[in-house]
Amino acid sequence: MRSLKAVGFGLAIALIVELLLVFGIAAPIFTAFVPESLARTSALADGVVVVAAAVGMYWGGMAAGYKAVHRPRLHGVAVAVLLFVVSPALNLAAAHDPFVQLRDSGFLLLCGVLFAISVAASFVGAGRGWQLQIYNRKVKRTERRLGKR
């Protein structure tokens, strides 16, 4: 049960960070400075999405790795994999084609790049979360030891 909570917490953090980056930072900049015709056909928009996914997955993997009791990297990578499973599942639940955009080779390549970068970023983030958990345990032990003297 704690594993599910750790992965769920990581999923929530990853989604929040990604939404803030895309809709809170990138969207206003794009609407103000980039013409709409260029933004839709530009690789710049794809790059922003890839960077937002990488940063979001890093923080989501870090949160899952920090909360995990055992196997923090597995929990961190589970965040990225589950987010890629959730999207087609939601499309299927809404009675839509779950892979409607994957008919285009360019979009399929972008999804592959997004998946690889997301898994790598969440793996690195999970390791960092585990390191933070170990550090916090050491600090708590030291505080307890010094407090008892």
Side-chain angles (χ1 to χ4, degrees), residues 46 49 55 64 87 93 98 103 118 134:
D46 294 340
V49 170
V55 172
S87 178
R103 308 286 191 281
S118 296
I134 291 170

Side-chain angles (χ1 to χ4, degrees), residues 7-47:
V7 174
F9 184 66
L11 286 169
I13 295 294
L15 284 174
I16 289 169
V17 169
E18 289 173 9
L19 288 174
L20 284 174
L21 286 174
V22 171
F23 294 113
I25 296 172
I29 291 173
F30 264 72
T31 56
F33 298 113
V34 178
E36 186 177 335
S37 61
L38 181 65
R40 289 187 182 190
T41 61
S42 173
L44 183 62
D46 294 340

Side-chain angles (χ1 to χ4, degrees), residues 39-106:
R40 289 187 182 190
T41 61
S42 173
L44 183 62
D46 294 340
V48 168
V49 170
V50 168
V51 168
V55 172
M57 290 299 164
Y58 175 80
W59 284 97
M62 184 187 296
Y66 182 79
K67 292 283 187 179
V69 179
H70 301 290
R71 298 184 182 152
R73 294 202 191 258
L74 178 67
H75 289 82
V77 171
V79 169
V81 173
L82 283 177
L83 278 177
F84 271 86
V85 169
V86 166
S87 178
L90 289 176
N91 284 341
L92 191 61
H96 298 297
D97 184 12
F99 303 108
V100 68
Q101 295 291 334
L102 294 180
R103 308 286 191 281
D104 181 27
S105 62

Side-chain angles (χ1 to χ4, degrees), residues 129-140:
W130 184 247
Q131 290 171 354
L132 285 172
Q133 186 185 71
I134 291 170
Y135 175 77
N136 286 344
R137 285 181 187 169
K138 286 180 186 178
V139 169
K140 285 182 183 179

